[in-house]
Amino acid sequence: MGELLVTKTAAGLRNLLDAGDVSAVEVAQAHLDHIEATDDQLKAFLVVMRESALTKAREVDARIADGAGAGLLAGIPVALKDIFTTRAVPTTCGSKILEGYRPPYDATVTSRLDAADAVLLGKTNMDEFAMGSSGENSAYQLTTNPWDLERVPGGSSSGSGAAVAGFQTPLAVGTDTGGSVRQPAAFSGVVGAKPTYGRVSRYGMIAFASSLDQASPFARTVTDAAWMLEAIAGHDPMDSTSIPEPFPNLREGLEAGVGGMRIGVVREFFESEGLEPGVRDRTQEAIQRLSKLGAQIVEVSLPHAVYGVSAYYLIAPSECSSNLSRFDGVRYGLRVDADSAEEMMAATREAGFGAEVKRRIMIGTYALSAGYYDAYYAQAQRVRTLILRDFAAAFEQCDALISPTAPTTAFRFGDKSDDPLAMYLNDIFTIPASLAGTPAMSLPAGLDEKGLPVGVQVMGPVLGEQVMFRVARALEAEIAFDPTPRGPNALELG
Ligand code: GLN
């Protein structure tokens, strides 16, 4: 039963729990056992919260038995990227500088999941401060890709993506600043959905680039991702950038299909060098499927999207250089003692931050400095505005956009880690929607010739999550992808 339970979707578990066929404790136990059996290989979790998960599951069972009414995700296991604060539970953001930090409060995402009666299994590994596209920048461990343990799971939400793909949990939350949920979802054959910027509160989500950071769900189906997003989204007075409008019911209209919809194909994305043939082919097939389902396919242009990576790698580091100045050894985590306060701060930051984080702080500090601000930071902001306008113009011609999620499938450990530019280019298709603040999601479109999952990206207009999910759901039903990791180097599921 345990093995069977871990293969269920959140919606499938909901049916079993509601019918009384299984208890929340059994569901939690099955997933905790599976984590124990597989995490030596996968290394997706930094902390497994066995005791508190079982306590929560018992509470949920009691509430269901009393008919006391339980939340949307009652008894459903979830995992959280270690970027979200969890009261009294270690929260490292993948960095040595936060080693030993136990936050005194819960992030809004954490408390909303608890209020929805989800069962929190633990905290997942990530690239340090969410900077990375492979998971190789975690200061703690290397999460592997369940489809091929010698390949990267994608990043920066490496643990959340791998945990969902490896059946350790049906749902997980990650954060997407430039693609950190969509790209790992693509690499491991699951769904990752970034909503419109401002939909999910950033309160208690450790800041990387505040104008871009968005909490986003991972799931094995589009429907499950919609559930989780509904549970965590919505206005929060604790985040001044949170959108006041209520979040729509995504499950309504999810099955309405794409008949009569206009779907835009972004011309520039197919012209990009470095696009692997397997990725191109699966994306093209997805476009044909949409056409077969009754959508009208139109070609659109995002002429400034090619400058997205350059603009992003100025804006995101600039915001990071400012956000990360709070890690000074005075208030949180690590402190390396020295003779003066200034030397203590320098020594703490030298010892606490990894190479990529230091690179970003230096780039960002330079881009913001007097004399260079206009040429770099302000210029990047102007490019951002042009990209935003490109999206607005494209959405006058169509209801949703489709493209590959990443130019490649999962690469091998070490393949790009010595070449930051090659690594940054993996974000080429995800960054434009991040800069525009528009919703965008990845869903599996099949396998490439190496047997690795390919992700296809569906993008909607600002506040257009309903349309985006509808397109993704129609495509998912047509593709009928089996998310079970398989192949010669795949995770042994037991
Ligand atoms: N890979 C991108 C970066 O390294 C995106 C990260 C993210 O979305 N958090 O900045």
Side-chain angles (χ1 to χ4, degrees):
M1 186 64 180
E3 281 131 58
L4 252 166
L5 281 179
V6 300
T7 63
K8 300 278 181 226
T9 61
L13 291 172
R14 171 83 287 123
N15 290 338
L16 292 174
L17 285 158
D18 287 350
D21 290 342
V22 71
S23 68
V25 169
E26 286 170 298
V27 171
Q29 193 65 59
H31 286 86
L32 289 165
D33 289 350
H34 186 62
I35 293 171
E36 202 169 301
T38 53
D39 216 42
D40 277 354
Q41 296 176 74
L42 216 49
K43 297 197 170 55
F45 281 85
L46 290 172
V47 181
V48 178
M49 296 162 65
R50 176 174 282 276
E51 290 313 312
S52 63
L54 291 171
T55 305
K56 177 74 183 183
R58 275 192 287 273
E59 268 170 44
V60 172
D61 281 334
R63 212 165 311 145
I64 294 174
D66 291 352
L72 180 66
L73 298 178
I76 309 290
V78 298
L80 276 181
K81 183 176 185 177
D82 205 26
I83 197 168
F84 295 98
T85 58
T86 37
R87 186 159 22 97
V89 177
T91 301
T92 64
C93 217
S95 181
K96 287 283 179 206
I97 212 159
L98 278 175
E99 195 161 23
Y101 173 57
R102 289 175 187 259
Y105 72 110
D106 276 337
T108 297
V109 166
T110 312
S111 54
R112 288 207 177 162
L113 286 173
D114 193 52
D117 287 326
V119 172
L120 179 57
L121 297 176
K123 308 289 295 288
T124 54
N125 193 28
M126 56 182 285
D127 280 312
E128 184 175 6
F129 286 104
M131 297 170 199
S133 309
S134 68
E136 290 161 292
N137 296 337
S138 166
Y140 295 97
Q141 60 197 32
L142 277 185
T143 300
T144 56
N145 188 314
W147 287 78
D148 181 342
L149 299 175
E150 286 163 18
R151 290 177 187 269
V152 303
S156 65
S157 309
S158 49
S160 288
V164 171
F167 295 100
Q168 293 178 326
T169 177
L171 299 175
V173 193
T175 59
D176 192 308
T177 302
S180 281
V181 165
R182 288 165 283 160
Q183 188 254 22
F187 277 18
S188 56
V190 298
V191 176
K194 181 190 96 69
T196 305
Y197 176 80
R199 281 297 205 186
V200 184
S201 170
R202 291 186 293 109
Y203 179 71
M205 191 174 102
I206 297 169
F208 159 21
S210 308
S211 76
L212 297 155
D213 299 341
Q214 258 306 281
S216 314
F218 283 98
R220 289 189 297 271
T221 66
V222 171
T223 309
D224 277 10
W227 278 41
M228 171 158 249
L229 194 49
E230 280 185 38
I232 60 175
H235 184 245
D236 178 12
M238 300 302 280
D239 171 3
S240 61
T241 59
S242 152
I243 292 173
E245 279 86 18
F247 192 71
N249 180 332
L250 286 182
R251 288 160 298 160
E252 230 165 68
L254 197 57
E255 308 286 342
V258 292
M261 273 171 68
R262 290 162 310 162
I263 312 276
V265 175
V266 185
R267 185 191 310 140
E268 292 81 4
F269 286 11
F270 284 89
E271 288 163 1
S272 128
E273 311 163 32
L275 178 62
E276 286 181 352
V279 176
R280 181 197 308 265
D281 292 352
R282 292 300 88 72
T283 312
Q284 236 121 31
E285 283 161 22
I287 296 166
Q288 281 155 16
R289 288 179 200 274
L290 287 170
S291 161
K292 194 183 106 198
L293 290 169
Q296 187 195 335
I297 307 298
V298 294
E299 195 182 91
V300 299
S301 170
L302 297 175
H304 300 94
V306 290
Y307 306 115
V309 170
S310 317
Y312 172 90
Y313 279 98
L314 287 168
I315 294 170
S318 296
E319 294 185 21
C320 121
S321 86
S322 156
N323 275 325
L324 269 54
S325 62
R326 62 170 64 88
F327 301 104
D328 53 9
V330 176
R331 284 164 294 184
Y332 320 91
L334 183 77
R335 173 182 300 174
V336 178
D337 281 322
D339 292 343
S340 69
E342 205 179 322
E343 281 165 4
M344 179 280 285
M345 287 179 194
T348 300
R349 288 166 70 83
E350 164 60 27
F353 288 136
E356 181 63 25
V357 173
K358 285 178 185 156
R359 172 164 31 238
R360 305 271 180 124
I361 292 173
M362 286 190 277
I363 294 173
T365 307
Y366 185 80
L368 290 175
S369 59
Y372 296 99
Y373 180 94
D374 249 1
Y376 293 109
Y377 181 73
Q379 189 68 0
Q381 291 290 21
R382 285 184 204 107
V383 172
R384 184 175 188 175
T385 302
L386 294 175
I387 292 176
L388 212 121
R389 288 188 192 146
D390 283 356
F391 272 92
F395 283 119
E396 282 180 9
Q397 298 166 55
C398 61
D399 303 294
L401 298 170
I402 186 160
S403 79
T405 303
T408 69
T409 51
F411 43 90
R412 289 181 190 280
F413 287 104
D415 260 12
K416 297 185 199 284
S417 42
D418 293 334
D419 184 352
L421 282 184
M423 190 70 92
Y424 296 171
L425 280 171
N426 214 259
D427 304 334
I428 187 164
F429 303 138
T430 48
I431 278 176
S434 298
L435 290 171
T438 48
M441 67 192 284
S442 180
L443 71 148
L447 304 177
D448 72 355
E449 66 294 342
K450 297 192 275 290
L452 296 169
V454 171
V456 63
Q457 179 173 231
V458 179
M459 295 172 270
V462 168
L463 305 185
E465 286 86 0
Q466 268 172 319
V467 172
M468 175 178 84
F469 269 83
R470 210 167 106 189
V471 174
R473 173 64 197 126
L475 207 45
E476 174 187 54
E478 200 50 34
I479 294 170
F481 180 77
D482 171 4
T484 314
R486 50 198 179 271
N489 288 323
L491 171 74
E492 279 169 39
L493 287 167

